[in-house]
Amino acid sequence: MPNITSSMKKLLIALFCLSIGSFTHVNAQSKQDIGGQKIEGPQFKFEGGDTHDFGVIPRGPIANTTFEFTNVGNAPINVMNVTPSCGCTGVDWIKTPVLPGQKGWIKLGLKTEEQHGVFNKEVYIQSNARVPNGDKRYTLYIKGNAVGGDTK
C-alpha cells in the first residue's frame, strides 16, 4: 500500500507542475503583442518609419507626403494636434480616435519654394499615445534637397 501512495504523490506533483507551466505560458502570451513586447495603452507604429526623405526635389511646387500608422496598443489613439517646426509645412491628420489594430494618417505639405538646398524639418504630434524614450510628444521627420528655381 505505501507504493500506491508514493506513486500517487509523484503523479499529483507532475500534474501540478504541468498545470503551473501551462498557466504561466498562456498568461504570458495574453500580455504580449507585436514583437513579443507588452504594450499598455495606445501606441503608434508608422509604416516605413518616422522619417520621410523627399530626395532631390524641384523648388516651387508643394511636396506632399502621408505618414500612415497602425495603433498597436490596447486603447484608442487620439491625435489632438500636429505642429510643424516651421510655417513652411502644412499639416492635416485624422480627427477621430484610432482604435487598436486600426490605421490612421498624418498628411504633410512642404512649401518647396521656401527651401534652399538641403532641409531637415520636424513635425510634433500631441496625442495620448505612448512615446519612445519618454518624450512628451512624438516626432516625425522630413528631409530632402530642394534645387532649381529662383535662387534669391
Side-chain angles (χ1 to χ4, degrees):
M1 197 89 170
N3 284 342
I4 295 174
T5 307
S6 175
S7 295
M8 285 184 69
K9 283 182 184 177
K10 288 179 184 177
L11 180 62
L12 286 173
I13 289 172
L15 288 174
F16 178 75
C17 289
L18 275 172
S19 66
I20 292 295
S22 296
F23 173 76
T24 303
H25 180 69
V26 169
N27 192 33
Q29 281 183 332
S30 68
K31 292 184 179 179
Q32 292 180 355
D33 199 74
I34 297 171
Q37 294 184 4
K38 184 176 174 184
I39 297 175
E40 293 292 333
Q43 183 173 346
F44 291 114
K45 180 179 182 197
F46 283 93
E47 303 193 18
D50 58 9
T51 301
H52 177 76
D53 187 350
F54 284 105
V56 177
I57 56 174
R59 288 187 63 227
I62 292 180
N64 294 298
T65 189
T66 300
F67 285 88
E68 292 185 352
F69 64 87
T70 301
N71 179 357
V72 296
N74 64 3
I77 289 178
N78 294 304
V79 177
M80 281 112 24
N81 198 12
V82 178
T83 309
S85 61
C86 72
C88 62
T89 306
V91 297
D92 190 19
W93 65 92
I94 189 167
K95 306 298 192 288
T96 57
V98 179
L99 301 176
Q102 300 295 309
K103 294 186 180 290
W105 50 269
I106 296 172
K107 294 180 182 180
L108 307 177
L110 177 72
K111 297 175 186 173
T112 61
E113 75 271 3
E114 297 178 17
Q115 307 308 307
H116 301 279
V118 175
F119 60 88
N120 291 288
K121 307 290 179 186
E122 297 176 344
V123 178
Y124 310 107
I125 304 169
Q126 285 183 299
S127 73
N128 64 331
R130 243 183 89 235
V131 181
N133 305 323
D135 290 341
K136 293 184 182 198
R137 56 191 178 184
Y138 199 98
T139 304
L140 298 174
Y141 305 91
I142 55 175
K143 62 183 183 175
N145 185 4
V147 297
D150 193 4
T151 57
K152 295 180 186 177

